[in-house]
Amino acid sequence: MQPINIILGDIVDLEVDAIVNAANPSLLGGGGVDGAIHRAAGPALLASCRGLGGCKTGEVKLTPGFNLTANYIAHTVGPIWRGGHAGEPQLLRSCYLKCLELATRLNLSSIAFPAISTGAYGYPLRQATEIALRTAMGYVEMKGSPEITFVCFDEPLYELYLNTSIRLKQDNRHPDA
Ligand code: APR
């Protein structure tokens, strides 16, 4: 079964088959990781995105990686946090799941995720981290691949991912604990 990696760093530098962009429904760029990916991939990315007709929340659209090391960029749109009773958890889970299903369809061996929706979209870190890790662990348990890397942009998030990952593995070993 492929490992799930947790690293501290900048997603644009990763040498993986696909990196995931936390985009907005227009797919025409923005700040945060979206801005970083567009800057690193170059102007051809925006031209490519213009032809995609946008992306719904919880869905994913694919482009080449252009100037990135990664071959592909999976653009997904996370939910804006509105208090947790507007389907945000299901939509966030869908972002991770649809990117993983796309990786399987394309027979990709590795994919890297940022912490979708936890920046401008305001998703509470603990809840978002739990959804990200549970979805990834469940998928890899079932499918055995791809190799997943969670890229944390700051130390506190990195610590949270590590601690949550340890707790979820213990829960899995002793589910009724
Ligand atoms: N590499 C990895 N992670 C990054 C990077 C980077 N270069 N830059 C930012 N991040 C992290 C943030 O620290 C945060 O943990 O990505 C996570 C998601 O934050 P945002 O980029 O703000 O994305 P999100 O909360 O999903 O909001 C999306 O913001 O940038 C706009 O166009 C985007 O409108 C959309 C909205």
Side-chain angles (χ1 to χ4, degrees):
M1 190 162 72
Q2 288 288 2
I4 292 178
N5 312 308
I6 296 168
I7 67 166
L8 178 63
D10 187 327
I11 200 165
V12 302
D13 301 329
L14 285 217
E15 298 192 9
V16 290
D17 285 341
I19 65 168
V20 173
N21 181 21
N24 61 63
S26 76
L27 293 185
L28 300 180
V33 70
D34 195 3
I37 289 174
H38 274 268
R39 280 192 298 279
L45 174 57
L46 184 56
S48 176
C49 286
R50 284 196 202 289
L52 294 178
C55 183
K56 288 198 184 78
T57 300
E59 299 293 325
V60 61
K61 293 273 179 85
L62 193 78
T63 68
F66 298 107
N67 298 342
L68 292 177
T69 315
N71 299 322
Y72 297 103
I73 305 166
H75 303 264
T76 193
V77 179
I80 295 171
W81 179 253
R82 302 183 196 285
H85 305 291
E88 298 96 319
Q90 294 78 3
L91 285 166
L92 185 59
R93 174 175 162 74
S94 172
C95 287
Y96 287 101
L97 210 45
K98 290 198 186 267
C99 287
L100 290 168
E101 289 165 351
L102 183 62
T104 300
R105 270 204 307 283
L106 292 170
N107 203 19
L108 302 185
S109 57
S110 56
I111 186 166
F113 289 95
I116 301 166
S117 281
T118 65
Y121 279 4
Y123 211 111
L125 285 181
R126 308 185 73 75
Q127 297 168 52
T129 302
E130 183 112 7
I131 289 170
L133 285 168
R134 278 188 188 283
T135 307
M137 291 163 92
Y139 192 87
V140 171
E141 238 164 71
M142 192 174 55
K143 297 273 186 178
S145 69
E147 179 175 358
I148 298 168
T149 299
F150 287 107
V151 186
C152 304
F153 204 46
D154 57 55
E155 186 77 33
L157 185 68
Y158 176 64
E159 292 299 324
L160 177 61
Y161 261 83
L162 289 178
N163 295 333
T164 306
S165 171
I166 291 164
R167 177 167 52 79
L168 292 179
K169 280 178 191 157
Q170 283 165 352
D171 289 356
N172 285 347
R173 269 202 292 277
H174 313 290
D176 48 2

